[in-house]
Each structure stands twice: as structure tokens, then as C-alpha cells.
Amino acid sequence: MLDVKRQIQIQHQIGSKWTTLVAHFMGFCCLLGGFQIATFAQPPQNPPAAAEAPPPAADQPAVVDPAGARGGLVKLKLPITGDVDTRFRNALQRLLARFPAEQGTRPILVIEFSPATSAEDAGAPANPPQDDAHKSDFSRSQALAELLRSPDLQRVRVVGYIPPKVQVRGHAVLVALACPELIMARDAELGEGGIHDQSGIDRSEAYKAAAQTGGKPVPLALGFWSAKNKVHRAEIADAGVEFVLEADLPKLREQKNVTAEKALDRLPFNFTGLECKQLLGIVNYLAANRQELAAALKIPEKLLNDEFFLGAGAKTAQLRIEGVLSPALLAEIDKKLTQAHQDGVNFVLVVIRSPGGAPSAAAGLMQTLANLRSNDDHPFRTVAWIDQEALGDAAWIALGCDEIVMSPQARIGGYGSGNPTPDDRANLILAYKDHKNELDVNVRRGIAMQKNRPSWSLGAALIGNTESAALYRNKVSNLRKVFSPEELRQQADPAAWEQLQEIARANEPLELTGTNALSYGLAAFNAENMHQLKEHYGLEASPELLEPGWVDFLLRAIRNDYVMIFLLLIGGAGILAELQTPGVGLGGFIAFLCFMLYFWGQFLEGTAGWLEVLLFVFGLIFVLMEIFVFPGFGILGFGGGLMILASLILASQTTVIPTNAYQLNQLRNTLLVLLGAGAGTIGVAVLLHKFLPSTPGLNRMLLEPPSEQERLDQARRESLADFSHLLGQRGKTTTRLTPAGKALISDQLVDVVAPGDYIDPGKTIEVIEVRGHRVVVRAV
């Protein structure tokens, strides 16, 4: 009779064979992984790099009043340094896009001078010292002043507004002087244009030009520039008041009847709003707040206010779109978004951290976002927040939001995990762009116009337009926009635009950083973190998450590369432990749990289906058959190993065969994860084999192998065994005889050999020959 030690020895032989098979399997993985790494290690090729630029200003949406009044407000942050001018231009373009050229009431554009409250606003350290708060850059300030006389702004009524306690000093005075209308609070201040200018350059011509743009007296503008320009206020009989430089005063006396004159000895000029109205006459109205400002302009206050957006009684919500996209995930997001709109939510922050993966579903969600709009009874706005990436079709979702906010290093567009067809891209571009016929009539408002994009060509380039796109500059206004050849032809005067550089090739989706997206006007502004975003929109707390739940958190955890490696590692080690343990024990349970979590997480992410599960299950069955049923044959083991490898790769990505640089990189990362998990599994198996049998409390999971002395004693006992009494006896096989195996004869479990055909378990056999401990049987 064979004792337990012999059974242990057989089990270890099985374990040794399984370990060898795993080693061959991992060798195949390493070869394949090495090939993939060598082939795909080069980074994806991006479109031509664009000029890096900075974040846009906080602006309020334009509102069309039922009575016909149209207007909006744009904030100009002070001082005008760093990226402030770029942000202001982008905000201005978005606002002007809401006022198509048409007959009717002239739109009102209010430029509110607002002091910077953070580093994100000022492009400088937060809370700058008072001495630095008015150091506006001359070239940037002059360019903005010149912008106010551009043709695009001639069709609107431009009003500058300086709120209470705000001091507009330094070269920012140029922009205030260039405003055709100026409204100030009584205690606001304006003046000292050249207070911080240490260049020694005469800026008189710039101040004259700004005064002429805004219809202000040129001598006053020169007084704002420098204390050297002494200005007199002269009252002319029957002609009102004139301002004249001291050097020109004698000539004025000769030409006109000067009844009174007064030297403005506060040099350089610095006046309050009350003084600017009563003494200088350059302020049209005094207004202490936006309510009084709206009353002075005779427009509804809601055209200037956005209080629901700033948190005053507003309902806010947050949606998170993370990981590889799936139709199920986006359908749930679509449902929650629509329900939030119906529940009266005013502000929805859509957090996107995704490489894409479901083009058709992403296009549907983009349309839903485009269709959810504000009305008089329910102000509503959606903001896409991208702090990492929104690649491929994930970028389409951002294009459907009212505004896009990105961190400077975040990425949007380009190739992603999904595989949109040319028809998918063409249909989406058709819905996104604005269409005109050759006569420029019958314009169909696309999503780009609905969402106030500076141009539709930039969004079309992110999707993958059939035409290239380039950055253009208007020769008159100096505005910069991105046009495709088609959109350039749609402009009123295409010849007024000169091309600066090509930024997107035809039929290749454009990828942009947050900095570039800002410079082209796609992003509203750049924010490094959620704190800056909340500060910009006046949110006291983060919006309430609409998709909480333990499933979401567990899903995000499972999708982590390190967690995936851990699950595969522990699952593989559990299988190895189970093969060396009698019966079904803890190792098999742990392996089942780990692989169940792995495939469940991938299934919920939309990257795995029943095909991957079936490949894994049948691959495992074939490997086990190779070990226990057809040992040494090889086809089942090798094929099963390939099926397991294929199932794990396919479960980690949305594509079968990679078609772009991102998908190739995704395949490489998947192979690295599998290689790491395989190497870890072998390491854990070695540790289990060495330490588990001697670990108190766990040694029952794995029987300790016999020592060298015990194996010698076992061999000696078997050599002395006498089975001659079994000759002619009959019994039953307990294992398959191939040709060796075991049989139960006369209540003894004996190792037997059956020459010839294999004999299945449970068959009746007869002992036909006994040679020492060798028992030869045949089937009855």
C-alpha cells in the first residue's frame, strides 16, 4: 500500500510541471512584450506645436432680453500683465460671437475693470502689494486700447465701468480712455498713467490715440500720462468747457472768449469718479453697483449679472467621466445630466479624465449638452474641467459644454482609445459647424455658435476635419482666430486675414495642451487646480457629485494599473497554491475572487465582454487538461496559454488591433502590466513553496514535502514489498492507467501498470503478473 508521503511526492511532481508550464508561458509573454516595446516605444507624433499662451478672463454670458436689448459684460483684470490681455481677447471674442451682425438694437458691451484677486487672475503672485497692483504693461495696454477701435467693436456700444474702490492706474488708463463711454463709482480712481514707467520713452502718441478712440480731450490724456504736461480747464462763453495745455493757453485766449480758467495742478492726474464727472466731464454716469449701472444704460440688470452662476442661491452639481468610455457609462451620465436640468440645477461641472473609447455614445452626450440651455426662468451652464486628458472622442463631450477649463499641461483631442469611423467624424462636424451657402444667407446655427466658440474650425480640427486648419491674424483689429479654408471663405473680408501658421493637418485629429487651447480661444481659462476654478466661478464649495457610490469608487480603484497587477499576481499565485493542495481550498477561492474582480471591473468599464471571459475560462481548462489528462502533448497547454494571454489583453482595451499611436501605447502598457503580474506570480509561488509549509496556522493549506531521509525509507520499503498474493486477483482502477496508475485490489491501493491500451478510472482489472513491487494488470 502506498502511504501519504508517496501521494505528496506525486502532488509535487504535478506542481513542478505546472511551474514549468507557467515559466514557458511567461517566456512567451516576455518575447511578445519585448517586441511590442521595441516597436511602439516611440512617443505618438503630435501635430505641429503651437505658440504657447496663457488663461482667459472671467466673463459673463451675453443675454438677449425679450424686449430686444442685447448685452454682456467682460471683466478686465488689473494689472494688465502676463496673460491678462490674451484672456480678455478670448472672453471678448466669445461674447461678440453671441451678437451676429444683424439689424436691431445695438448690443452693449460693458468692460468692467476688476482688480486681480489671485495668481491665476494676475499671472503674478497672489495679493500683489499695492505698489505693484497698477504696473500694467504698456504694450499690452496699448494693444487693448487699439482693439476698441477695430471694426468688430464698431458694431457694439462699448462702455467702460470702474466699480467702487477700484483704482485704475498705470498704463491701464489707456484702455479706460479708449472706451467711448465711461461709468465710474464715486470713490473709484483713475490716473497716474506713467507712474511706473521707467523706460524714459515718450508715450504721448499712444495716449493721444486712446483719447481720440474714446472721444476724450487730448490734453487731458496727456495730463494722465505725465506730470510735465500741465493742463488748464477753460470756460468759454457760450461754448462750454475746454481743456488746453499750458503752452497753448495764450493762443486759446486770442481765439476764444475765455471767461474763467483753472489750472489742474494735481499732477500727474489722479481723480475720483465724482471728480471725473463734475470737473473733467469724461464720465457719463456714476454707478455704485451693477444695478445702478444697468439703470444708467437703461437695460435689464440680468444682461450684466450672472448671480446664479456665482453661487447666490444657485444649485450646482458635478459629473465625473473617468477612464475608458463605454456606452453604459455615458448613458448613465446623459440620464443624470438631463435629470439635473429638470431638477433646477444651474451649474454643472463635467470633470473629464478619459482617453475616449465610445465614439457614438460620446457624440450623443455632446448633443445632449448642446441642447440643454438657459432660459428666462432657469439659468443653466455647463463647464468642462480637464486637468489631465480628454483624448479622442472624450474631447467631443467637452465641445458640447458652454465653457472649457483646462490645466496648462492637460491634453484635449488627438487620437484616443476609440475608433471613430470617417462617417462618425463627418456627421459630428456637420452638427458642430455653422453652415452658410454661397450667398451667406440661411445660416444654420451649429453647436460651435450655440456654445460661443470663436470659430468652428478649431473644434472640427479636434474631431478630425477633412480640411487643415491654420491660425490667422486680422490685419486691422489684430484679432487671432483659427480657420479652415471653408470658414475663411465665409468671412466678410477674407483678404483682411493673414495666415500665421498651420496648426492641424487634414484628416488628423488635433491635440492641444491647455496652454494652446487658451491661446486659440477654445479654453475659457487655465486653472492649476479645483480651488482656482471655484474661485473663478465664485463657488464656495465643490459642486455636489451626482454619481457617487461604492461601485464607482471600486471601479476606479480596480482600473488602476497597480491594482490590476496585484489582482493578476494574487490570482495566479492562488491557482499555483491550489494545484499543490489536496481538494479545493483557500488558494482556489482567492484566485476565483481576484479574476472575478478583474473581469468585472473591465466589464463595467466597457473594455471586456463575454468573449474575454470565455477565452480565459476555456484557456484555463485547456491548460489543466494538459497537466492532468494529456500530459506531455503540448498543444492544449500552449493554445490555452495563448487564450489566457489574449483574454487579459483584450479585457484591458477597447480595440483588438491597434490603429493609432495612442492604441499602440495602450497595448504596450497592457503587456507591461501582464509581464509585471507574471513575474510577481512566479516570485510569490517560489515564496509559497518555500515558506508556507512551515508557517504556523497556514501549513495545512500545503502539505510539507518528504525529507531526503523519508524518501530513502519509502524507496527501501517499496523495494521489499511483496505483492505475489495479488496474482489473479481482480480490482477497480482509481485513476486512469496511461499505462501506469493506481488500482484498489483486495482493499489495497496499489501502483499498477497496464501494457497496451489506456484504461479509464472505475474499470475492472485483473492482476496478470507480479515482479517484486511491479504489478501488471489487464482490463477484464
Side-chain angles (χ1 to χ4, degrees):
M1 179 183 293
L2 294 176
D3 59 14
V4 176
K5 296 296 183 181
R6 178 59 178 162
Q7 297 183 35
I8 296 174
Q9 187 175 10
I10 295 174
Q11 290 172 2
H12 275 271
Q13 292 173 354
I14 295 175
S16 176
K17 186 168 185 178
W18 171 252
T19 304
T20 302
L21 186 62
V22 170
H24 285 297
F25 174 64
M26 290 309 303
F28 175 82
C29 293
C30 291
L31 289 175
L32 182 58
F35 172 76
Q36 294 289 348
I37 293 170
T39 307
F40 309 133
Q42 296 184 358
Q45 297 298 317
N46 291 329
E52 292 291 319
D59 61 301
Q60 312 297 339
V63 183
V64 178
D65 183 70
R70 295 182 298 160
L73 182 145
V74 178
K75 288 183 179 180
L76 177 59
K77 296 293 184 180
L78 301 176
I80 304 174
T81 57
D83 56 18
V84 168
D85 57 329
T86 303
R87 298 171 56 194
F88 177 76
R89 288 174 185 270
N90 290 343
L92 194 63
Q93 288 186 28
R94 293 197 303 274
L95 187 59
L96 291 176
R98 296 181 182 267
F99 302 140
E102 59 185 29
Q103 295 180 351
T105 306
R106 190 182 183 195
I108 295 177
L109 168 64
V110 176
I111 300 175
E112 182 177 275
F113 294 81
S114 175
T117 57
S118 70
E120 179 273 323
D121 286 333
N127 301 319
Q130 186 67 19
D131 291 341
D132 296 335
H134 307 292
K135 290 184 177 179
S136 293
D137 182 78
F138 170 74
S139 60
R140 287 179 167 82
S141 301
Q142 182 188 32
L144 293 183
E146 292 176 350
L147 178 64
L148 297 185
R149 64 169 178 264
S150 66
D152 287 334
L153 291 177
Q154 294 304 308
R155 61 186 179 89
V156 300
R157 179 184 172 189
V158 179
V159 179
Y161 174 56
I162 307 178
K165 300 181 189 280
V166 174
Q167 300 172 339
V168 179
R169 294 180 181 171
H171 293 306
V173 170
L174 283 168
V175 185
L177 293 176
C179 293
E181 295 183 53
L182 188 60
I183 298 176
M184 297 178 64
R186 298 171 67 91
D187 57 352
E189 295 183 17
L190 176 68
E192 298 182 333
I195 187 173
H196 292 299
D197 195 318
Q198 305 296 329
S199 65
I201 301 174
D202 186 6
R203 313 289 193 185
S204 298
E205 292 303 318
Y207 278 79
K208 288 180 182 179
Q212 292 168 354
T213 300
K216 309 293 190 299
V218 171
L220 280 181
L222 295 175
F224 278 111
W225 154 239
S226 173
K228 297 178 181 179
N229 299 316
K230 298 182 179 180
V231 182
H232 287 253
R233 182 181 188 272
E235 296 181 9
I236 312 300
D238 300 327
V241 175
E242 286 190 23
F243 294 91
V244 62
L245 293 175
E246 187 174 74
D248 298 329
L249 187 57
K251 185 178 180 180
L252 180 65
R253 291 169 181 165
E254 292 177 1
Q255 295 177 347
K256 298 183 180 181
N257 184 11
V258 179
T259 59
E261 59 184 61
K262 178 183 179 181
L264 301 178
D265 53 1
R266 191 183 305 173
L267 298 173
F269 285 174
N270 184 39
F271 296 99
T272 65
L274 181 62
E275 292 170 330
C276 286
K277 177 172 174 52
Q278 296 181 350
L279 181 63
L280 306 183
I282 60 174
V283 165
N284 301 80
Y285 303 100
L286 297 175
N289 48 51
R290 289 186 186 175
Q291 182 178 7
E292 294 183 8
L293 175 63
L297 297 175
K298 297 181 180 179
I299 60 175
E301 184 183 352
K302 68 180 180 180
L303 269 66
L304 306 176
N305 281 341
D306 203 11
E307 293 303 325
F308 78 93
F309 196 41
L310 301 176
K315 294 179 65 177
T316 64
Q318 179 182 166
L319 291 168
R320 290 185 180 177
I321 303 176
E322 299 179 320
V324 177
L325 300 182
S326 67
L329 171 64
L330 295 188
E332 183 65 22
I333 294 293
D334 192 302
K335 180 180 178 181
K336 290 179 181 294
L337 181 66
T338 304
Q339 187 63 46
H341 186 268
Q342 295 174 353
D343 292 342
V345 173
N346 306 119
F347 176 86
V348 176
L349 182 65
V350 184
V351 180
I352 305 176
R353 297 168 182 163
S354 171
S360 297
L365 181 57
M366 176 184 176
Q367 290 285 359
T368 298
L369 286 162
N371 294 333
L372 297 177
R373 306 174 192 167
S374 296
N375 54 52
D376 292 336
D377 299 326
H378 180 208
F380 182 77
R381 179 172 296 183
T382 54
V383 173
W385 164 233
I386 305 171
D387 62 342
Q388 296 176 7
E389 63 180 13
L391 302 181
D393 49 282
W396 305 357
I397 301 172
L399 291 175
C401 295
D402 294 313
E403 290 186 354
I404 300 174
V405 180
M406 299 178 63
S407 68
Q409 298 79 25
R411 298 184 297 156
I412 185 172
Y415 291 105
S417 183
N419 277 321
T421 65
D423 288 341
D424 290 334
R425 299 185 190 275
N427 292 334
L428 194 63
I429 292 173
L430 192 66
Y432 185 77
K433 69 180 183 179
D434 307 322
H435 302 275
K436 303 180 182 180
N437 64 15
E438 295 180 355
L439 300 177
D440 284 342
V441 295
N442 299 326
V443 179
R444 182 166 71 83
R445 289 172 59 86
I447 296 175
M449 182 176 289
Q450 296 172 21
K451 298 304 179 183
N452 196 25
R453 305 286 183 244
S455 70
W456 59 259
S457 298
L458 186 57
L462 291 178
I463 298 170
N465 198 7
T466 54
E467 292 187 329
S468 61
L471 180 65
Y472 289 83
R473 183 183 69 86
N474 191 289
K475 301 174 184 177
V476 179
S477 65
N478 204 37
L479 286 176
R480 299 188 179 195
K481 290 187 178 182
V482 175
F483 293 137
S484 62
E486 178 184 352
E487 188 172 10
L488 180 63
R489 293 191 296 269
Q490 294 176 354
Q491 303 308 302
D493 185 9
W497 296 88
E498 65 173 349
Q499 180 175 335
L500 299 180
Q501 66 178 120
E502 183 181 81
I503 65 169
R505 302 186 184 98
N507 299 311
E508 292 186 16
L510 173 65
E511 180 178 316
L512 295 174
T513 64
T515 304
N516 284 338
L518 170 66
S519 67
Y520 298 145
L522 178 69
F525 69 99
N526 285 162
E528 292 283 357
N529 49 50
M530 181 67 75
H531 174 75
Q532 291 183 356
L533 184 142
K534 291 190 297 183
E535 184 179 70
H536 178 86
Y537 290 115
L539 303 174
E540 295 182 358
S542 297
E544 179 183 359
L545 187 64
L546 289 183
E547 48 172 347
W550 65 272
V551 173
D552 299 289
F553 292 107
L554 180 59
L555 182 59
R556 282 192 288 272
I558 292 175
R559 284 293 299 166
N560 184 279
D561 286 346
Y562 295 105
V563 175
M564 290 170 58
I565 292 176
F566 177 79
L567 290 176
L568 294 176
L569 187 154
I570 299 301
I575 291 178
L576 292 180
E578 182 63 28
L579 289 175
Q580 301 182 61
T581 305
V584 179
L586 183 59
F589 175 77
I590 292 177
F592 172 79
L593 184 63
C594 288
F595 285 111
M596 182 195 70
L597 286 175
Y598 177 82
F599 282 102
W600 177 64
Q602 310 293 21
F603 179 80
L604 292 181
E605 281 291 307
T607 59
W610 286 111
L611 172 63
E612 288 78 8
V613 175
L614 291 176
L615 281 174
F616 181 82
V617 171
F618 280 97
L620 185 60
I621 290 175
F622 290 156
V623 170
L624 294 178
M625 290 177 64
E626 172 72 19
I627 296 174
F628 296 109
V629 182
F630 304 110
F633 194 60
I635 296 294
L636 289 177
F638 184 75
L642 286 179
M643 292 174 65
I644 293 175
L645 178 62
S647 70
L648 296 177
I649 293 176
L650 293 178
S652 302
Q653 53 193 42
T654 57
T655 57
V656 177
I657 300 176
T659 59
N660 59 55
Y662 179 87
Q663 293 169 0
L664 292 174
N665 188 62
Q666 186 182 36
L667 175 60
R668 181 190 64 184
N669 293 338
T670 300
L671 291 175
L672 289 176
V673 168
L674 294 180
L675 289 173
T681 299
I682 294 177
V684 171
V686 172
L687 293 177
L688 288 176
H689 184 77
K690 182 175 182 180
F691 296 107
L692 191 61
S694 59
T695 302
L698 298 178
N699 50 9
R700 294 185 180 181
M701 292 178 53
L702 186 66
L703 295 178
E704 185 176 359
S707 64
E708 184 64 24
Q709 184 61 42
E710 289 174 327
R711 284 197 292 269
L712 292 175
D713 293 341
Q714 175 69 22
R716 186 172 59 257
R717 286 196 300 270
E718 289 182 353
S719 66
L720 300 176
D722 182 12
F723 295 109
S724 58
H725 64 284
L726 297 179
L727 185 63
Q729 299 291 323
R730 293 188 176 186
K732 295 280 187 182
T733 57
T734 58
T735 66
R736 191 178 190 201
L737 306 186
T738 59
K742 297 179 181 180
L744 187 63
I745 306 172
S746 299
D747 297 326
Q748 287 184 293
L749 187 62
V750 184
D751 281 339
V752 297
V753 177
D757 296 337
Y758 293 164
I759 301 176
D760 292 329
K763 298 296 184 178
T764 301
I765 49 91
E766 180 181 0
V767 179
I768 59 175
E769 183 180 356
V770 177
R771 296 179 182 176
H773 66 276
R774 175 181 172 86
V775 180
V776 182
V777 298
R778 66 175 177 83
V780 175

